[in-house]
Amino acid sequence: MRTTTVRVPAKINLCLGVGPRRDDGYHPLATVYQAVDLCDEVRATEVKDGAVTVSVQFAGDERREQAPVPTGPDNLAVKAACALRDAFGIEAGAGLAIRKAIPVMGGMAGGSADAAAALVACDALWGTKATRGELEEIAATLGSDVPFLLHGGTALGAGRGEEVSPVLARGRFHWVFAIADRGLSTAEVYARYDEMHAESPPPAPHVPQALLTALAAGDAAALGNALSNDLQKASLDLRPELSRVLEVAGEADALGALVSGSGPTVMVLAEDPSHSEELAGLLLRSGACADAVQASGPEPGAHLI
Ligand code: ATP
């Protein structure tokens, strides 16, 4: 049986500017994404019939309980494979096997990552020969973060996040991800954000110049000072215990700490790999999070291995 395997990174938002809710329910975003080497793998195997099926296995740590991931048509990897198949009139099926390391409902776009990986894996398995542009177009129909997870690296995201363009970034950044014992619903966080702005709508979002300057210079300390997330207040309101993680990171001289996307994962910026190891140990011992995982970025987007 032929198989293809794709590795795909998690994403973080170095800044996340969120504008007022649009009539279609989406929020305009101005963000800088970075892909980090906390990776899922998606394997696609040839099957005899036309069915697209999926199995999910969790990699690594039993310390944290994972939220359930759908193993039927609602799995984003299955949706991605079916969207590719429809777009190219393919009749073959595929057996998808996901090995998950990206926390589920962690604000790191794990589901979107699996969708991007399934597009690349099935394109190779079926010999679709989709162009990068065609894959990106399908990706945007699957979710706002999916085009970036094809792209990888460090990139600007506009529109609802699906309009991706590269940004100049030098060097490598070392992160610790403080992972919570249970996930947080992105929809719930956006709903709380809207409630918080019911009286005065937020302004049009923008990317802070200080962040772009820090990235262009590869200056980790300046990057730490420039991190920002408009959703952080709403996430902290729903999960007040996350403030403790931010406090511990501050006490431990992290270069910066911020809720990742809609949370509840908190990303903590270290000076170098040994500082990152030290921060991970401190965060774990503090009991403020269920797990502390070291990773660095930028990483390439979904790619065959
Ligand atoms: P984002 O940062 O994009 O808002 P998230 O990282 O917080 O997302 P995900 O792990 O992507 O959250 O999960 C969001 C929802 O998608 C969950 O309800 C989950 O059950 C569902 N889902 C569907 N397919 C997958 C998949 N392959 N992996 C993880 N979650 C999936």
Side-chain angles (χ1 to χ4, degrees):
M1 287 290 182
R2 284 179 56 242
T3 70
T4 58
T5 305
V6 169
R7 179 169 297 151
V8 65
K11 67 89 206 186
I12 53 176
N13 302 86
L14 304 177
C15 65
L16 180 56
V18 180
R21 189 176 184 274
R22 306 191 310 207
D23 290 341
D24 64 3
Y26 288 104
H27 294 76
L29 302 184
T31 188
V32 174
Y33 294 109
Q34 181 160 91
V36 294
D37 64 352
L38 175 56
C39 295
D40 280 1
E41 277 179 19
V42 176
R43 196 177 69 226
T45 303
E46 206 175 25
V47 290
K48 292 214 170 67
D49 56 12
V52 176
T53 57
V54 69
S55 64
V56 181
Q57 183 204 341
F58 291 100
D61 210 312
E62 291 79 39
R63 262 178 302 200
R64 61 178 199 260
E65 214 172 291
Q66 295 277 5
V69 170
T71 51
D74 286 342
N75 190 295
L76 282 168
V78 174
K79 285 191 178 169
C82 293
L84 180 72
R85 200 162 70 155
D86 291 349
F88 285 86
I90 305 275
E91 281 173 12
L96 303 175
I98 303 177
R99 188 164 185 277
K100 281 209 80 68
I102 306 174
V104 179
M105 293 179 82
M108 299 186 79
S112 303
D114 297 345
L119 286 178
V120 175
C122 290
D123 175 55
L125 185 74
W126 294 331
T128 320
K129 296 196 169 59
T131 63
R132 188 34 62 145
E134 286 166 337
L135 285 184
E136 279 170 8
E137 213 172 291
I138 299 171
T141 66
L142 296 164
S144 306
D145 295 332
V146 185
F148 172 69
L149 290 153
L150 287 174
H151 187 282
T154 307
L156 288 167
R160 51 182 173 81
E162 85 287 16
E163 295 167 20
V164 177
S165 51
V167 70
L168 178 64
R170 272 185 235 282
R172 210 161 169 84
F173 298 98
H174 301 276
W175 302 94
V176 179
F177 297 104
I179 296 170
D181 57 359
R182 66 208 154 94
L184 183 55
S185 145
T186 304
E188 214 183 312
V189 175
Y190 273 103
R192 182 55 60 92
Y193 181 78
D194 292 338
E195 275 167 32
M196 288 174 145
H197 290 89
E199 300 295 319
S200 57
H206 75 284
V207 168
Q209 186 54 46
L211 183 88
L212 298 175
T213 308
L215 284 171
D219 183 338
L223 177 66
N225 286 327
L227 299 173
S228 65
N229 180 357
D230 285 354
L231 293 180
Q232 176 159 297
K233 254 190 168 169
S235 310
L236 291 178
D237 195 53
L238 292 165
R239 290 287 171 80
E241 65 271 24
L242 294 180
S243 319
R244 179 74 195 123
V245 184
L246 297 172
E247 266 169 37
V248 174
E251 285 159 15
D253 290 331
L255 299 181
L258 190 76
V259 168
S260 171
S262 54
T265 304
V266 174
M267 52 201 238
V268 178
L269 183 59
E271 275 167 38
D272 51 35
S274 70
H275 186 212
S276 145
E277 202 172 330
E278 192 187 319
L279 285 172
L282 280 167
L283 283 160
L284 261 185
R285 285 195 296 280
S286 74
C289 54
D291 200 2
V293 177
Q294 291 173 255
S296 60
E299 275 295 289
H303 59 282
L304 289 164
I305 54 172

